[in-house]
Amino acid sequence: MERKCYGKINLSLDSLYKRDDGYHEIDTIMTRISLFDKLKIEKNNTNEIKIKTNSQILSKENIENNLIYKAWAILKDRVKSCGVDVFLEKNIPIAAGLAGGSTNCAEMILALNELWNLNLCDDEIFKIGKSLGADIPFFFLKKSARAQGIGEILSPFDINLDMKILLVNDGTSISSNFVYKRLKDYGNIETEKIIEGLKSSDKNIVKYFSNVMEDVVYENFPHLYKIKNRLENLGAAKALLSGSGASIFAVFFEEEKINYALNEIKNDYKFVERVNLIDD
């Protein structure tokens, strides 16, 4: 069995306040992009999970910290024979604000539900996903969505604006915990206005795209701010940090401009790729 695990970008991200449980109350717009990892899963007769990957970074980590393993661990007692071989082809940059680990986990849950004939209902799938990570339930929707709460309260909607996206990652790795610990309260992004603009194909709405995490990230990683500025100077209507970084995406409307920008920077950073929004 093979699953595609699509990454995401945040078209806006606001932090409203820090909750009593230590989490931040957020308000964000997420949409999936055409960049994906591949997850290959086959049964084995060992009652254990064996994970292999092309990623040198992930292959050195403790397997029990991997969200793919955690998805398997939470479901394995529901079947008599739970052994699986997993190969993860990693294409999404790691610790990059693109939710690579979360999308891998979501597709692992869906894959095991199918492979083991668990017949889990949508509510149960969402509950399992949420228990493993706040942004995991988003990937079950297969739709663009506004995410509130800690990211688990989802309101799907259609994006009707044709945006051309250039995605850049220079290899900088940023822990979301690092950013959240330094994050202030904001609550000043006009999320509802952005959603209405995306629905109504209003090109001017991209000016309102905003991510409050940029304050923390650019203060601690100023070289990333230079990438953002460079993309806008190359003709992007907007360049923005995705999630807690370090990936930056640039929005274009003209084919000529995005192709020019791509040619200008394609050899300058570790990862430069043109991607599409797949849920519009």
Side-chain angles (χ1 to χ4, degrees), residues 147-205:
Q148 295 168 282
I150 59 172
E152 87 288 9
I153 302 171
L154 299 166
S155 304
F157 69 96
D158 292 323
I159 293 176
N160 296 312
L161 183 61
D162 182 18
M163 295 179 285
K164 306 176 194 306
I165 307 295
L166 189 59
L167 186 64
V168 179
N169 185 282
D170 73 343
T172 301
S173 179
I174 302 177
S175 162
S176 57
N177 286 337
F178 175 91
V179 179
Y180 271 112
K181 285 179 180 177
R182 293 160 177 80
L183 195 61
K184 299 176 183 178
D185 297 335
Y186 292 85
N188 54 11
I189 296 177
E190 297 182 79
T191 306
E192 195 68 47
K193 181 175 183 175
I194 295 171
I195 291 172
E196 291 306 312
L198 291 169
K199 287 180 178 179
S200 62
S201 309
D202 180 6
K203 289 183 178 180
N204 291 320
I205 205 62

Side-chain angles (χ1 to χ4, degrees), residues 1 3 43 75 78-82 84 108-121 124-125:
M1 178 185 293
R3 311 281 302 197
K43 290 181 179 180
L75 293 172
R78 297 175 184 240
V79 291
K80 290 182 179 180
S81 179
C82 63
V84 288
M108 184 66 174
I109 293 169
L110 295 174
L112 292 179
N113 184 43
E114 182 179 337
L115 189 68
W116 291 343
N117 297 312
L118 298 178
N119 297 314
L120 298 173
C121 67
E124 194 166 8
I125 289 172

